Amino acid sequence: MNIKIEMASVEQKVVLRNLLELYKYDFSEYDPEDVNEHGEYGYKYFDHYWTEPERFPFLITVDDKYAGFALVRKKTQDHMTNEFCLSMAEFFVMKKYRKHGVGKHAATYLFDRFPGKWEVAQIKENIPARKFWVKVISDYTNRNYTEIQRDDWDGPIQTFITYSNNVVDQP
């Protein structure tokens, strides 16, 4: 199985948008959001991933077939110090490719690509996502992470620091 994680180009926006619709549909069992008048879920910040320097869209392929995506962003964590952290804003692997190491491979690649402080949040009801992220983050950090709760988020958030310099093609 040949897994690749590559930054999505402007020409690939339509591919990522279509995968995002599949993700939002999959996610609808946990989120009561309805489709809009065009029959789409949409994503408020979608275009921002090609216009804002602190947002990074990635496509995941397996054997040159689209298998998912990841949206990573830098966000200001402390407005007083301008300290930022990295956030896995959205992450999706198609069901066909789950339980084959694709998600773990993609997450590990992204953690290596963006060294620094990370936050990965799950909504409380999404137990499969929580199990996935706790396992991946625990393995990646050798259980050196913290799980927190915030008033502005309904679910667990894992925080940890990555130090890797294994990937040279930083954005």
Side-chain angles (χ1 to χ4, degrees):
M1 191 178 324
N2 183 19
I3 304 167
K4 290 184 186 171
I5 300 90
E6 297 178 318
M7 187 92 73
S9 68
V10 171
E11 294 78 23
Q12 293 171 310
K13 276 177 80 171
V14 69
V15 173
L16 205 149
R17 186 184 310 272
N18 290 339
L19 290 171
L20 192 57
E21 288 295 313
L22 295 174
Y23 163 74
K24 297 280 279 192
Y25 169 75
D26 241 19
F27 203 69
S28 68
E29 86 179 272
Y30 307 110
D31 184 354
E33 180 182 7
D34 288 314
V35 296
N36 64 23
E37 66 276 7
H38 304 290
E40 299 171 334
Y41 288 99
Y43 188 73
K44 182 178 179 178
Y45 301 103
F46 182 75
D47 288 323
H48 299 237
Y49 279 86
W50 287 268
T51 61
E52 295 179 8
E54 66 277 355
R55 294 180 187 264
F56 310 97
F58 289 91
L59 286 167
I60 302 166
T61 59
V62 174
D63 298 330
D64 297 320
K65 305 280 191 240
Y66 292 114
F69 68 87
L71 300 178
V72 174
R73 70 182 181 115
K74 286 184 183 176
K75 66 180 199 171
T76 303
Q77 188 176 23
D78 184 337
H79 292 286
M80 298 293 280
T81 65
N82 271 345
E83 185 180 322
F84 73 88
C85 71
L86 295 146
S87 172
M88 191 70 72
E90 310 295 343
F91 187 87
F92 174 66
V93 173
M94 292 170 54
K95 288 183 180 184
K96 172 181 180 178
Y97 298 104
R98 293 179 193 167
K99 303 197 187 300
H100 296 285
V102 175
K104 182 176 183 173
H105 180 86
T108 299
Y109 171 88
L110 293 167
F111 297 156
D112 284 347
R113 181 166 178 159
F114 296 96
K117 185 169 186 179
W118 275 86
E119 291 186 351
V120 180
Q122 306 89 52
I123 63 168
K124 179 175 50 178
E125 295 81 9
N126 193 345
I127 303 301
R130 181 163 195 276
K131 287 179 180 177
F132 169 79
W133 284 114
V134 165
K135 171 92 171 97
V136 168
I137 293 166
S138 184
D139 289 352
Y140 184 84
T141 65
N142 196 27
R143 293 184 290 286
N144 190 16
Y145 72 95
T146 303
E147 189 164 282
I148 63 172
Q149 300 282 325
R150 282 208 194 104
D151 292 339
D152 65 344
W153 183 256
D154 188 23
I157 303 168
Q158 294 80 35
T159 65
F160 56 99
I161 297 174
T162 64
Y163 301 98
S164 178
N165 291 313
N166 295 337
V167 182
V168 294
D169 59 340
Q170 299 280 330

